[in-house]
Amino acid sequence: MGPRTSPLDPYRSRARSWNRRTFPCLVLALAAATPAVRAQAASSATVADKLGVTIHFTVPQPGEIEALRATGVRWVRSDFNWTATEPSRGVYDFSAYDPLVADLQSAGLGAVFILDYVNPLYDHGLSPATEEARAAFARWAVAAIAHFRGRHILWEVYNEPNFHFWTPRPNTNDYIKLALAVGEAVRESAPDARLAGPASAAIDMPFLEACFKAGLLNYWSAVSIHIYTPGDPEGVANDLLQVRLLMRKYQPAGKVIPVIVTEWGYSSVWQGMDEQKQPEMLARGWLTQIANDEPLSLWYDWESGGDPRDPEQHFGLNGPPATANGSVAYPRKPAYRAARTLTRMLGDFRFNKRLTLEKPEDHMLLFSKGSEVRLAVWTTGPPHEAVLPASAGSFQVTGLTGESLAAAVADRRGLTLTLTSQPQYLVPDAPNDLLAVAAAWQRLPTDIEMRKPGVLTLHVPLKNPLSKVERVRVRGAGGSSFGPTLKTDPGETADLTIRLQGALRSADPEPAGLELEVRGLGSVAQSTMLVAENPLRATLLPVTRTSLPVVITSLSRDGFDGLVAVTRGDGIHFRGNSTKVHLAPGPNSVTAELPFDRPPESAYEVGIRLIDEDGDAVLEVAPSRFLAIGNLADYRLKAEGPQSSGSSLESALPPGGPPEPGMGALRLNYSLPPGGLSVGLTTTDPASAAIPGEPKALGFWLHGDGSGVLPYVTYVDSTGQIFANGGGPIDWKEWRYVLVFLDARQGSHSSGANDGVIHYPIRWDELLMLRNWSGKQIHGTLYLTGPTLIYGPVSGSR
């Protein structure tokens, strides 16, 4: 993302002296999870070892390397330009990078070099798409790695190939072929070199899975992704987990590969962002990724540009350079001070664990260095007082950008502190017994995979760090009974073991927590995410004239036999409360029908539970409200640009009939020229356009034509801001149920407030919009039926 290196400036020739320094260690292993899970030791890497920034220079300004080092980070990422370093075929000149690498090494900084982009000597200056160009790129990569061998460099294979940096347009297969060619060549010539990829623009799961399925994990030491979200950085924790779970399906046996974030940033001129909010996002983003065991996180960017209207030029830690009296100065933005403060407070400490608090939106991270402990605390909710676990004693408190705040004092109840969205750093004035015990209690893995339902045995050993005998016991969070109380002498290890009942077979990870009680001191808690190895998914489809269809899907090889039982049914009267289900070993799906006496009104509320043959609940769909969209005859065609005579809208069914008996459908014939033009369904009736309440999703049946046209759902909020969600290609030729989340974080937005926040009430712009981003004319026919708004779980449901 952002501006890229222009032709390399020449370096003046100068001698270099190589200083011996300790360089950061990129940790490339995580603890494996088994049904009997042992706690995970803290990483050997310090906080500073995991942090870095992106630069766009090869010739530093005077004092710039020193300023980089002063931030406290240990990594620098830069383009490694193919055009500039292979000036003629087979002739390599890396001299422009030699002084930069020497400067970085002298400062104790490691480098992430991006093997990018194109070379006019091959494929007409486009991204490598022929065997000749791929072979040339691989030879160049091998030559670069050989030239800088032993210089503490991580090599990234291209940059955002799923975005516009792959020219003339993104092509997943071409990128995979290039990355495989580089991987094979590097494995043969420099097997000790470290490669990462694919540096994906955003967390693009289909693109990532294609890379993993093609075998690229055989060559990569890390999977690199980029994160740019206008929302809270804590929200990406689940996205990172999903990437790790996907990787585990394809990584070679015995090889555990981490996710690294090689671009992460917030432009200070984004809507709702400024130079005071940006440093808050930086600190919370880094802390969130550290807490999720990501071994490397690189902030984008080091330096901002001078155009006040261009968001691309305002990601930097520093302002645009200013020249005065013949010297260049870089104004330090608050984000720079936030980075320095974080590394000054925590840089040589190691992340120990997140201590869970009463409110899930409150964050308390514990860091340790020998017997010393420090804390970072903040909340994603409104500012409020919280009681943090701690023994009696006083704490020095440092604010986001280094300011000293009022000291905090803990009493026998704990440490009462006002949490805000800005991280605060706490340092105890004297050893704190409860926090010392918390640090000595081994950390749970970030996630645990298990077959459900079942029993999970957790081993969470504690080595008594105090000079006195302690009595401790552990229990599962949420009110389950304590395990036995164990007496521990100073320096003795207590093997705290507890058995937790395995949770449901949900496709979504579920939190599980443990609480440690230390007699006379208080208690601390930590948590993990339980991931089902044999997940099930249940999808409630729009009602037909006779029943409510429920699709049960096995996402593993395990099948299911049992019942689908109704847990709540308002506005709909079922004939019975359950129906039998047999689902063969999967991956597989089956549709269960819950019959009713008469069709419900347009609005109804339903919740269900899957119960296995032993009578155990294995999946629960919390009650949600459904609202069928009214008369589709109110909708008409809306075309962008000249409308082709081939586009039309009418009531009709495909030759195979409706997806469920008794359902009618709209037939949309369309003809779209290339260039991103669109056609869709809209309405001029205000009543039909209005969307009641705050729906979470829109579900509908769509009969595809395999054309690859891109479908979207678009709506407008009260400020005139337009949101577009969806976009996956229609590559099927039968009925499919499509679920589009009406969530601003999932899609794009423009106009109006343009802040990514949905300002209710909302109304339809286009119920279904088809866009042609291909380079060719697209003709086709689609059928639409059963559009239904889906609202979130009702209050009090689980």
Side-chain angles (χ1 to χ4, degrees), residues 81-165:
N81 193 289
W82 187 16
T83 296
T85 52
E86 188 180 346
S88 58
R89 289 189 175 225
V91 176
Y92 309 114
D93 180 4
F94 305 118
S95 60
Y97 285 92
D98 286 329
L100 176 62
V101 171
D103 281 338
L104 295 178
Q105 287 217 321
S106 295
L109 298 171
V112 178
F113 279 155
I114 319 160
L115 296 166
D116 60 21
Y117 286 102
V118 301
N119 192 317
L121 301 172
Y122 306 97
D123 281 6
H124 308 289
L126 299 175
S127 295
T130 63
E131 289 294 339
E132 179 193 31
R134 284 193 287 268
F137 189 100
R139 288 192 299 270
W140 164 73
V142 165
I145 291 169
H147 182 81
F148 290 105
R149 181 167 291 169
R151 303 292 183 87
H152 193 63
I153 296 172
L154 174 68
W155 299 90
E156 203 168 14
V157 184
Y158 221 85
N159 183 69
E160 298 188 354
N162 57 329
F163 196 42
H164 63 249
F165 292 115

Side-chain angles (χ1 to χ4, degrees), residues 276 279-280 283 337-339 341-342 398-403 422-425:
Q276 306 309 312
E280 178 183 311
R337 297 196 296 274
T341 300
L342 189 152
T398 300
L400 175 67
T401 54
E403 59 276 14
Q422 293 192 356
Q424 301 172 68
Y425 306 100

Side-chain angles (χ1 to χ4, degrees), residues 494-507:
D495 184 11
L496 297 167
T497 302
I498 191 165
R499 290 163 61 85
L500 299 180
Q501 191 67 34
L504 306 180
R505 291 176 61 180
S506 170

Side-chain angles (χ1 to χ4, degrees), residues 135-439:
F137 189 100
R139 288 192 299 270
W140 164 73
V142 165
I145 291 169
H147 182 81
F148 290 105
R149 181 167 291 169
R151 303 292 183 87
H152 193 63
I153 296 172
L154 174 68
W155 299 90
E156 203 168 14
V157 184
Y158 221 85
N159 183 69
E160 298 188 354
N162 57 329
F163 196 42
H164 63 249
F165 292 115
W166 191 274
T167 56
R169 63 184 62 87
N171 187 306
T172 299
N173 289 334
D174 282 347
Y175 169 73
I176 288 173
K177 289 176 183 178
L178 177 70
L180 287 171
V182 173
E184 285 285 357
V186 171
R187 171 180 283 182
E188 182 176 340
S189 63
D192 58 336
R194 293 175 299 169
L195 297 180
S200 68
I203 299 179
D204 183 344
M205 297 297 275
F207 172 69
L208 291 173
E209 183 161 24
C211 291
F212 304 160
K213 190 179 294 186
L216 287 173
L217 295 179
N218 289 299
Y219 306 101
W220 290 343
S221 297
V223 167
S224 58
I225 58 175
H226 296 171
I227 301 176
Y228 292 97
T229 172
D232 289 339
E234 296 80 6
V236 305
N238 185 62
D239 297 329
L240 294 171
L241 172 58
Q242 296 303 322
V243 175
R244 292 196 299 267
L245 295 176
L246 180 64
M247 289 164 58
R248 290 175 198 167
K249 290 173 56 179
Y250 298 101
Q251 64 194 18
K255 183 178 183 181
V256 182
I257 306 168
V259 181
I260 60 175
V261 180
T262 52
E263 284 189 25
W264 164 287
Y266 288 79
S267 173
S268 58
V269 298
W270 277 350
Q271 190 78 24
M273 193 65 54
D274 55 32
E275 291 198 0
Q276 306 309 312
K277 183 77 171 175
Q278 185 189 44
E280 178 183 311
M281 297 294 101
L282 177 145
R284 286 166 52 185
W286 273 352
L287 291 168
T288 295
Q289 289 167 54
I290 289 168
N292 280 273
D293 274 340
E294 307 310 332
L296 186 60
S297 178
L298 304 175
W299 176 262
Y300 186 94
D301 201 5
W302 172 243
E303 175 189 322
S304 292
D307 186 342
R309 297 169 297 178
D310 183 3
E312 288 288 321
Q313 297 192 35
H314 293 273
F315 286 87
L317 298 181
N318 303 294
T323 303
N325 300 322
S327 63
V328 179
Y330 289 83
R332 306 301 181 208
K333 293 168 62 175
Y336 180 90
R337 297 196 296 274
R340 286 194 64 174
T341 300
L342 189 152
T343 57
R344 177 171 63 86
M345 299 303 301
L346 305 174
D348 57 350
F349 280 66
R350 291 171 172 81
F351 172 65
N352 188 283
K353 62 177 63 66
R354 178 182 176 183
L355 297 175
T356 52
L357 303 176
E358 181 180 358
K359 295 183 177 181
E361 63 265 31
D362 294 346
H363 296 257
M364 178 178 181
L365 305 189
L366 177 65
F367 297 84
S368 60
K369 181 178 70 171
S371 60
E372 294 183 67
V373 296
R374 291 187 176 181
L375 302 171
V377 297
W378 75 96
T379 184
T380 58
H384 64 275
E385 276 195 351
V387 179
L388 311 179
S391 302
S394 60
F395 290 77
Q396 300 173 36
V397 185
T398 300
L400 175 67
T401 54
E403 59 276 14
S404 294
L405 304 179
V409 179
D411 56 23
R412 59 182 180 82
R413 297 174 304 160
L415 177 62
T416 301
L417 189 72
T418 298
L419 301 184
T420 73
S421 59
Q422 293 192 356
Q424 301 172 68
Y425 306 100
L426 279 65
V427 180
D429 288 327
N432 190 280
D433 285 354
L434 183 57
L435 292 179
V437 171

Side-chain angles (χ1 to χ4, degrees), residues 23-29 45 49 75 152 154 194 221-222 258 260 295-296:
F23 292 101
C25 171
L26 181 60
V27 178
L28 299 178
D49 289 340
W75 291 89
H152 193 63
L154 174 68
R194 293 175 299 169
S221 297
I260 60 175
L296 186 60

